Amino acid sequence: MKKIVSKKELEKINIHPNKVLRFLRKLNWLFSVYLKPQHDAVLATRNGILAFNNKDKTTGRILSVYKNHEYDEMSDVVDFLKKKKLLSADKVNIVIDVGGYIGMSSTGFLVNDLFSKALSFEPSPENFRLLEKNIHLNALEDKMRAYNIALSDEKGSLEFELSEKNYGDNRVRESTSEGMYGEKNRSVIQIEANTFDAFLEENNDINQNDIKLLWMDIQGHEGRFIKGAKNFIKQHPKVPMAIEFWPYGIERSGMQKDEFVNMLKELYKTFYILGHYDTPHDISEISKYYDENPSGSDGLNILLMN
């Protein structure tokens, strides 16, 4: 029988380790997790109990050393939305987790009572297996639904390239060029895709008015998702969207700067940089940030709002 970790126990986990503790945790991850034969490692984190592939060098190291995945950012976003009266504790609040990976964000939102329900979308079969396992490990079957599909701007089958080192960097393949990260050499599988608008039409038991946040990290495919979610965004303009704004990934997805920028201008008025909620930016400034974020550099996490 699995042991469910309480919220109070999760709150005791140190997610801001000092230099010495980081070093000790990294050694423990290296010898007790990563160098072991391949298996599902299981770890108590601030995001809940999480199972992950021990050979996932990026995620495994981060979870083992910092014991969380973007918990501060998630908590800050929720506090900000409450101040804006876009979230209410006495109502059903659904978060849409696009690119759910192994469920780190969704479980974190739910086990910490930041949202009451979650819908998580993950196209990778192996990551989806771990996502479903983590739903079970945290006893979230009644609060969370998982879907083994990609959300894009079209319905059908897509090519999906797999990263050998960072399993959270698997991506829909739109380019066969070499790429700055050797993407050309990645193995490719076929995955199923749908648009968010079509998904909602097909699943009309989901109350769209309960959706309060779109939370997304899909390695540059964000523009494709937004294009396939225009009806929802226009009909629910108060629902904010948190994305990783990564020009290199966006351009590699086949969407050029002008199309991406103009689409955001059509749908949103303002954006905030996550963690800096005292400084709103007019959506027109997105073009400047696009130019300042050189290809290949890390993405910028932003919150799109009306």
Side-chain angles (χ1 to χ4, degrees):
M1 183 176 180
K2 65 179 183 294
K3 179 182 181 296
I4 306 301
V5 178
S6 69
K7 183 180 176 183
K8 287 186 177 180
E9 290 176 294
L10 294 178
E11 290 173 348
K12 294 178 182 178
I13 296 175
N14 183 354
I15 64 173
H16 301 110
N18 59 29
K19 187 175 182 179
V20 173
L21 185 54
R22 290 198 303 271
F23 176 74
L24 293 175
R25 285 180 175 178
K26 188 173 183 179
L27 285 180
N28 183 68
W29 161 75
L30 181 63
F31 292 104
S32 300
V33 179
Y34 182 69
L35 293 179
K36 298 286 186 180
Q38 185 166 332
H39 66 280
D40 290 352
V42 179
L43 184 69
T45 76
R46 193 69 170 88
N47 297 65
I49 304 297
L50 293 176
F52 57 94
N53 189 321
N54 73 305
K55 296 301 182 181
D56 186 342
K57 196 170 184 178
T58 300
T59 298
R61 184 177 69 251
I62 290 172
L63 290 178
S64 297
V65 173
Y66 294 97
K67 307 290 185 181
N68 82 101
H69 170 72
E70 299 180 346
Y71 175 76
D72 288 337
E73 291 88 342
M74 294 160 59
S75 181
D76 287 347
V77 164
V78 170
D79 287 343
F80 177 68
L81 296 182
K82 286 180 178 178
K83 290 178 181 177
K84 291 289 186 180
K85 302 188 184 302
L86 295 174
L87 279 180
S88 175
D90 59 352
K91 294 181 180 179
V92 175
N93 296 311
I94 298 176
V95 58
I96 305 297
D97 185 11
V98 188
Y101 189 23
I102 61 173
M104 302 180 294
S105 297
S106 292
T107 58
F109 279 126
L110 296 177
V111 299
N112 292 287
D113 298 325
L114 302 177
F115 279 85
S116 53
K117 292 186 178 181
L119 305 181
S120 185
F121 299 84
E122 172 53 47
S124 161
E126 175 59 16
N127 288 344
F128 184 76
R129 179 187 69 81
L130 290 167
L131 169 59
E132 289 194 308
K133 183 172 184 176
N134 288 328
I135 292 173
H136 177 67
L137 286 174
N138 293 281
L140 295 173
E141 290 88 348
D142 293 337
K143 294 184 176 182
M144 185 171 168
R145 296 188 200 175
Y147 302 89
N148 189 201
I149 60 172
L151 291 179
S152 187
D153 59 347
E154 60 182 6
K155 185 174 183 177
S157 181
L158 297 174
E159 290 190 329
F160 195 62
E161 57 185 40
L162 306 177
S163 171
E164 293 183 355
K165 297 180 179 180
N166 178 4
Y167 303 165
D169 189 35
N170 299 335
R171 303 182 217 159
V172 173
R173 169 165 284 187
E174 297 288 350
S175 172
T176 56
S177 64
E178 184 66 32
M180 297 191 68
Y181 302 96
E183 290 95 334
K184 182 179 180 179
N185 300 318
R186 292 180 174 184
S187 59
V188 177
I189 62 173
Q190 294 293 315
I191 59 168
E192 292 303 311
N194 202 354
T195 69
F196 190 52
D197 287 334
F199 168 82
L200 291 174
E201 289 180 8
E202 296 163 6
N203 295 269
N204 55 21
D205 61 316
I206 298 170
N207 187 343
Q208 297 185 31
N209 293 324
D210 290 338
I211 296 173
K212 303 300 182 184
L213 176 64
L214 301 172
W215 182 267
M216 189 182 345
D217 185 353
I218 47 178
Q219 303 304 99
H221 207 72
E222 284 79 2
R224 299 292 187 185
F225 167 86
I226 295 170
K227 193 173 179 179
K230 278 189 175 182
N231 289 340
F232 173 82
I233 296 170
K234 289 178 179 179
Q235 293 167 13
H236 302 83
K238 290 187 178 180
V239 177
M241 180 189 298
I243 70 170
E244 181 190 34
F245 173 53
W246 186 31
Y248 171 79
I250 294 167
E251 291 181 357
R252 195 167 178 83
S253 78
M255 183 172 285
Q256 298 303 310
K257 172 187 172 181
D258 287 347
E259 181 182 0
F260 182 79
V261 170
N262 290 335
M263 184 168 58
L264 292 195
K265 290 179 179 179
E266 174 191 353
L267 298 170
Y268 293 98
K269 296 178 180 178
T270 305
F271 71 95
Y272 292 83
I273 298 172
L274 262 61
H276 301 275
Y277 299 111
D278 56 338
T279 308
H281 300 269
D282 187 272
I283 198 65
S284 62
E285 292 184 48
I286 203 74
S287 181
K288 179 188 74 173
Y289 278 89
Y290 205 110
D291 296 333
E292 290 178 352
N293 195 6
S295 294
S297 68
D298 292 335
L300 181 71
N301 293 321
I302 63 174
L303 184 69
L304 299 165
M305 294 187 67
N306 285 310

